[in-house]
Amino acid sequence: MSQHPILIQGGMGAGVSSWRLANAVSRTGQLGVVSGTALEVILARRLQDGDPGGHMRRALDDFPFPRMAEQVWKTYYIPGGKAELASYRATPMHARVNSRELNELTIVANFVEVWLAREGHNNPVGINFLEKIQHPHLPAILGAMMAGVGYVLMGAGIPIKIPGVLDAYANMQPATYPLYVSGAQDGDDCMMRLDPREYMDSTLPPLRRPYFLAIIASNTLATTMVRKANGRVDGFIIEGPSAGGHNAPPRGKLVLNEKGEAVYGERDRVDLAKIREGGLPFWLAGGYGSPEMVAQALASGAAGVQVGTAFAYCEESGLREDYKQRLRDKAREGTIEVFTDPVSSPTGFPFKAALLEGTASDREVYLARPRICDIGQLRESYRKPDGSIGYRCSSEPVSIYLSKSGTVEETVGRKCLCNSLLANIGHQQVRAGKHIEPGLVTSGDDLVAIGRFMPKDGTAYTAASVVEQLMSGVPAECESEKAEVADVVSSTI
Ligand SMILES: Cc1cc2nc3c(=O)[nH]c(=O)nc-3n(C[C@H](O)[C@H](O)[C@H](O)COP(=O)(O)O)c2cc1C
């Protein structure tokens, strides 16, 4: 019998898995997950939009240290919201060593998102991070744990050092995280450090250690996690290449199909028998958004499934309403296409995008946007000739990237995911009062099938209706097990 939920709503960045979506899913007794990506930027922009509904204020009021919460409020809140064509104030960019101000903003932002997702029910809530976005890890995880996050889920990299961070914070001890620095030499200090006690204005009750689920796409990574992680790994999410967001690159030499997408083959299949032998619970992700696939996953020994795309287009998701509606319409008409772009992401990982006019999936829209890097979540750290650490993004202006020892090949076809993803959730930057950042909607291949969740008389559907439909694939004997354990989970998490 597993003490974990069967259904995990995938963490979808940035802000698509908002607190509202995670709250709606966790209320059903399944696991709602907030995206932890760029939450400090999202909170700052929500406040500059005037905090509609007063939700940020409500969560800030419960932040244990009023001085820190007030500082964030004072810095970013604009009563009534900024003018539509005014620019958002920039937030500082992360680096190996952050200013105290940025660490506080990041701690508070992660607290707020998890706090709101947990509000009004007793079920666990998770937070999703990408390992590749390393700079914010230490303050972000601390903020999420201060709000009582029940699960930390992390993919897009090899998160072997995350369990140690969770353990350190649970013991109120300083945490460290090794930053990947391109070209680093022996003796370089590449460590990020954060002592939680330096951010506590008063003593807090002990923080609970959340479960840690690693998102993986290969047996090798599962083995590495178990053998090399610096603390407990509680399970795996095994994500296939049809999943939305970033995908693990295919193994071996990159082969493209006639549309220019990365091709996955036999070597990319995960051997579930080997995963089962490891004994840890696992969830399957990527195309599991139907009752039949839920049943199939459980029959294969999985503890459940993680589903993203079906939730991305439901009422509570953070995706902006106009994109959501147009994509639901296209899905219903059968005219939607999803393209797995091998180069658009500065991470170098394939990134899926729904083809939608007016967004950066449209070549003309992409080419019309001057390159600019002013959010910097995906910046890579590199060793400068003087031995210090510099930061660069292959989507920034090419001349600047080259001046930082980047290569021109690295810049080809790169898109600014930071600005696009914030535009997707209605926080598009406006420059010089007229240039409005376009979005770029990432989606799983399952987008073509979301019609199954839409009612006959319209296209909008709720997160609870997705949960209900997916859970109808769970055999009755698993359901009764879950009913028994639901109480255990809610009383301990
Ligand atoms: C819009 C969108 C954004 C996503 N962003 C992330 C992310 O930031 N981090 C992550 O680990 N997974 C991300 N994913 C993957 C989901 O968490 C989930 O694993 C995946 O959607 C499951 O496959 P499905 O899309 O076929 O349901 C994203 C998926 C979507 C649809």
Side-chain angles (χ1 to χ4, degrees), residues 29-104:
Q30 300 307 315
L31 186 64
V33 175
V34 295
S35 163
T37 303
L39 280 175
E40 59 284 6
V41 188
I42 294 174
L43 172 63
R45 293 193 177 186
R46 285 179 186 150
L47 294 179
Q48 290 171 81
D49 287 340
D51 187 19
H55 305 296
M56 302 304 109
R57 182 70 255 181
R58 200 165 68 251
L60 289 171
D61 283 341
D62 211 51
F63 189 77
F65 315 125
R67 181 199 57 78
M68 267 165 77
E70 277 324 296
Q71 186 58 43
V72 170
W73 180 261
K74 253 183 20 212
T75 309
Y76 295 103
Y77 177 63
I78 300 178
K82 72 170 184 71
E84 204 184 329
L85 293 180
S87 302
Y88 284 109
R89 176 190 175 139
T91 38
M93 291 196 208
H94 288 276
R96 182 180 76 84
V97 180
N98 281 339
S99 65
R100 181 165 182 112
E101 178 205 347
L102 179 55
N103 274 346
E104 289 192 357

Side-chain angles (χ1 to χ4, degrees), residues 84-427:
E84 204 184 329
L85 293 180
S87 302
Y88 284 109
R89 176 190 175 139
T91 38
M93 291 196 208
H94 288 276
R96 182 180 76 84
V97 180
N98 281 339
S99 65
R100 181 165 182 112
E101 178 205 347
L102 179 55
N103 274 346
E104 289 192 357
L105 173 63
T106 309
I107 292 169
V108 170
N110 280 267
F111 174 92
V112 163
E113 201 72 4
V114 172
W115 188 93
L116 287 167
R118 295 191 67 208
E119 190 182 23
H121 63 87
N122 289 317
N123 296 321
V125 159
I127 192 163
N128 171 292
F129 295 109
L130 288 98
E131 200 281 332
K132 281 219 167 198
I133 304 185
Q134 297 183 326
H135 297 123
H137 281 343
L138 294 179
I141 292 173
L142 179 59
M145 283 178 67
M146 283 170 65
V149 78
Y151 288 76
V152 170
L153 302 87
M154 194 182 285
I158 309 178
I160 49 175
K161 302 286 185 192
I162 291 293
V165 175
L166 307 180
D167 293 332
Y169 288 157
N171 294 311
M172 225 10 116
Q173 291 299 313
T176 56
Y177 199 85
L179 182 64
Y180 171 75
V181 179
S182 173
Q185 297 179 0
D186 283 351
D188 289 350
D189 185 2
C190 300
M191 201 55 97
M192 301 189 290
R193 304 178 175 84
L194 194 142
D195 183 347
R197 292 165 302 194
E198 287 177 8
Y199 289 84
M200 305 291 136
D201 289 351
S202 54
T203 312
L204 281 189
L207 301 180
R208 182 165 30 83
R209 200 270 198 196
Y211 291 117
F212 177 64
L213 306 183
I215 305 173
I216 56 164
S218 72
N219 291 101
T220 321
L221 194 45
T223 312
T224 306
M225 287 305 306
V226 169
R227 294 218 181 117
K228 302 216 171 129
N230 63 351
R232 200 183 75 228
V233 177
D234 297 287
F236 293 116
I237 311 242
I238 301 171
E239 202 182 62
S242 72
H246 283 95
N247 299 140
R251 312 193 76 195
K253 195 167 172 293
L254 182 66
V255 178
L256 302 180
N257 66 14
E258 68 291 349
K259 289 199 296 178
E261 298 174 303
V263 176
Y264 291 81
E266 261 315 297
R267 289 181 64 195
D268 299 302
R269 292 180 77 85
V270 175
D271 181 348
L272 293 184
K274 285 204 184 118
I275 299 279
R276 282 193 299 268
E277 275 167 27
L280 286 178
F282 62 93
W283 289 258
L284 299 180
Y288 284 85
S290 67
E292 300 73 33
M293 291 303 284
V294 172
Q296 189 179 310
L298 293 171
S300 74
V305 297
Q306 171 169 285
V307 173
T309 298
F311 287 108
Y313 301 94
C314 78
E315 273 179 40
E316 296 90 344
S317 101
L319 192 60
R320 63 195 239 196
E321 220 28 66
D322 54 338
Y323 285 0
K324 215 189 267 184
Q325 191 55 49
R326 281 165 60 204
L327 286 164
R328 282 193 302 234
D329 288 343
K330 278 173 168 281
R332 173 173 249 175
E333 296 156 10
T335 54
I336 190 66
E337 246 186 274
V338 174
F339 177 69
T340 308
D341 195 326
V343 295
S344 63
S345 171
T347 62
F349 282 21
F351 185 71
K352 277 196 203 312
L355 302 187
L356 185 66
E357 303 75 25
T359 68
S361 65
D362 193 325
R363 193 174 152 72
E364 279 175 24
V365 173
Y366 164 61
L367 290 175
R369 178 190 181 272
R371 285 180 172 235
I372 178 164
C373 177
D374 56 358
I375 297 176
Q377 294 279 323
L378 294 172
R379 290 195 311 171
E380 176 195 29
S381 311
Y382 71 100
R383 184 181 205 273
K384 295 209 275 192
D386 67 1
S388 62
I389 297 177
Y391 304 93
R392 65 187 177 200
C393 177
S394 51
S395 293
E396 71 185 328
V398 176
S399 58
I400 300 182
Y401 187 67
L402 297 184
S403 74
K404 297 174 178 173
S405 315
T407 62
V408 85
E409 294 73 33
E410 272 295 315
T411 66
V412 178
R414 296 286 195 237
K415 296 184 175 173
C416 176
L417 298 193
C418 292
N419 272 291
S420 297
L421 296 193
L422 282 158
N424 287 347
I425 55 169
H427 296 312

